[in-house]
Amino acid sequence: MLPATWMPRVPLLCGYRHNNAIPWILAGGFAAMTLPASAAPALDLRAAAGGGTLLFRQLFDADTGTFTYLLVDVPSRKGVLIDSVYEQHGRDLSLIRELGVDLVAAIDTHAHADHVTGSWRMHQATDCAIGLAAAVGAENVSLPLHHGDRVAFGGHHLEVRSTPGHTDGCISVVLDDHSMAFTGDALLVRGCGRCDFQQGDAHTLYRSITEQILSLPAACLLYPGHDYTGRTVTSVAEERAFNARLGGAATERDFVGHMENMKLPHPHRIAEALPGNMRSGKPRQSGTGAGSLAQDEVWAPLGRSYAGLPEVSPDWVASHRDQLTILDVRSAEEFSGPDGRISGSLLIPLPELEARSGELPAGAPVVVACHSGSRSALATQQLLKAGHLQVANLHGGLARWADGGYPLEGVIATGSPPH
């Protein structure tokens, strides 16, 4: 029995089971109100950073051999992203959101010839600045960078060093304590960037590397823009000793002689990448491929988990319900049970999905649901692999749907207050 002194209102907790409790409370003459679902607790960013004040993540695009770097100041949660890739925007944005990062800037070390940058897309999503060497002259750059500039993010900053030679607009960025540097295509692991296009010059690159990068402390870790054999990091000490082009006893004459006789083919994506990067990755108004809007973004404002799973929010699903097929992959017992279901949803239990996917209506995008979003995540993956293009997981499942105050059909009120 609820105390009479609780009249006239009873606040309800537990954002999901309160749906079952409301009819019981109302029947007793009480007025029930639910407390809004609280936000998920913030991630302990210091723990994610290994206990330090700087969180560092190295990401990789296998198609182009490109490394992307995320650095975050733990106390302020402010961060910077270096050398993003257009096609990896969903992955990068999901990581930034999951970690609760306030992105200050998306920086490119130069106008790339082998991939289109994701900087413009990241700016659209987070309102971060777009940073690139002023010498490049690209459009949509809100943070034109010069030698000696500092890009602050919370209590940390990156020092900008001009390192032309691969192109005339190359920069390297160095962490404030000189413990790590990001060298783009100027210096690679046991190699360096080519010098035979985009105003490249071997003499200039030699001086850039020796005076601006290898002049850093020997213990400084160097993170390259690319690698194609699985090497992820090197150090000033290693490159001074072992870089075949300019390490050891190699002179500028040795370096130039090596670079001028490499006879490399042009990057196969240069015709697409350079124009796209001169727009800072802003999509064309029409067309396909990198630099144009992806087709899978047209039907819904898809988010992506860091695992790469397309997701849609309960809010969006609720406002577009009549345009969607809601696929419930719980068991038949759960579907008809006291937790309820979204009205009009189609039941195909997960173990039966592969055999029964042909029952999905043609032409309507599919949103997959279960109690928490776990089983529906697996179902979403299965449907994508089977060739269904317009499919996404209901973020947070029916629990999140109910927490948002959206109705569930068939919710059964119990005869006694739930525990």
Side-chain angles (χ1 to χ4, degrees), residues 153-170:
F153 57 108
H156 288 283
H157 71 263
L158 292 174
E159 173 195 339
V160 177
R161 296 194 175 196
S162 179
T163 50
H166 170 59
T167 73
D168 60 356
C170 284

Side-chain angles (χ1 to χ4, degrees), residues 13-14 17 27 73 100 103 105 163 218 255 278 332 367 375 401:
L13 303 178
C14 182
R17 294 183 179 87
D73 174 69
L103 196 67
T163 50
F255 178 78
M278 292 305 290
V367 174
R375 284 170 287 176
W401 174 273

Side-chain angles (χ1 to χ4, degrees), residues 45 70-73 76-81 96-97 99-105 126-128 152-154:
L45 199 60
L70 176 67
L71 290 85
V72 183
D73 174 69
S76 68
R77 305 185 90 93
K78 294 185 180 296
V80 293
L81 190 69
I96 287 165
R97 286 176 172 170
L99 296 178
V101 174
D102 177 10
L103 196 67
V104 171
T126 68
D127 201 33
C128 69
F153 57 108

Side-chain angles (χ1 to χ4, degrees), residues 13-57:
L13 303 178
C14 182
Y16 188 59
R17 294 183 179 87
H18 68 243
N19 290 292
N20 293 353
I22 288 174
W24 182 86
I25 297 229
L26 293 175
F30 292 84
M33 65 177 183
T34 61
L35 298 181
S38 59
L43 175 75
D44 183 348
L45 199 60
R46 186 176 294 274
T53 62
L54 180 77
L55 181 139
F56 170 67
R57 294 290 183 266

Side-chain angles (χ1 to χ4, degrees), residues 110-111 113 135-136 163-170 185-186 192-209 252 255-256 259-260 262 264 266-267 270 274:
H110 62 294
V136 175
T163 50
H166 170 59
T167 73
D168 60 356
C170 284
D185 285 11
C192 64
R194 61 195 297 169
C195 304
D196 56 342
F197 66 97
Q198 282 188 272
Q199 300 81 45
D201 181 83
H203 292 281
T204 301
L205 183 58
Y206 179 84
R207 290 191 291 270
S208 291
I209 294 173
E252 182 174 343
F255 178 78
V256 172
M259 300 303 295
E260 289 183 348
M262 292 183 69
L264 297 171
H266 270 31
I270 187 171
L274 280 180

Side-chain angles (χ1 to χ4, degrees), residues 118-196:
S119 288
W120 186 85
R121 297 183 76 182
M122 194 59 69
H123 164 72
Q124 291 294 104
T126 68
D127 201 33
C128 69
I130 296 176
L132 183 68
V136 175
E139 301 173 4
N140 304 307
V141 174
S142 56
L143 184 63
L145 299 172
H146 303 83
H147 182 79
D149 284 349
R150 291 185 173 186
V151 180
F153 57 108
H156 288 283
H157 71 263
L158 292 174
E159 173 195 339
V160 177
R161 296 194 175 196
S162 179
T163 50
H166 170 59
T167 73
D168 60 356
C170 284
I171 59 171
S172 298
V173 289
V174 183
L175 190 62
D176 43 60
D177 62 359
H178 289 188
S179 63
M180 58 175 64
F182 304 87
T183 58
D185 285 11
L187 182 65
L188 306 176
V189 179
R190 306 299 190 267
C192 64
R194 61 195 297 169
C195 304
D196 56 342

Side-chain angles (χ1 to χ4, degrees), residues 9 17 84 89 94 97 100 167 173 188 297 304 336 348:
R9 290 187 178 90
R17 294 183 179 87
S84 60
H89 170 73
S94 294
R97 286 176 172 170
T167 73
V173 289
L188 306 176
E297 295 175 357
R304 289 188 183 271
S336 301
I348 302 181

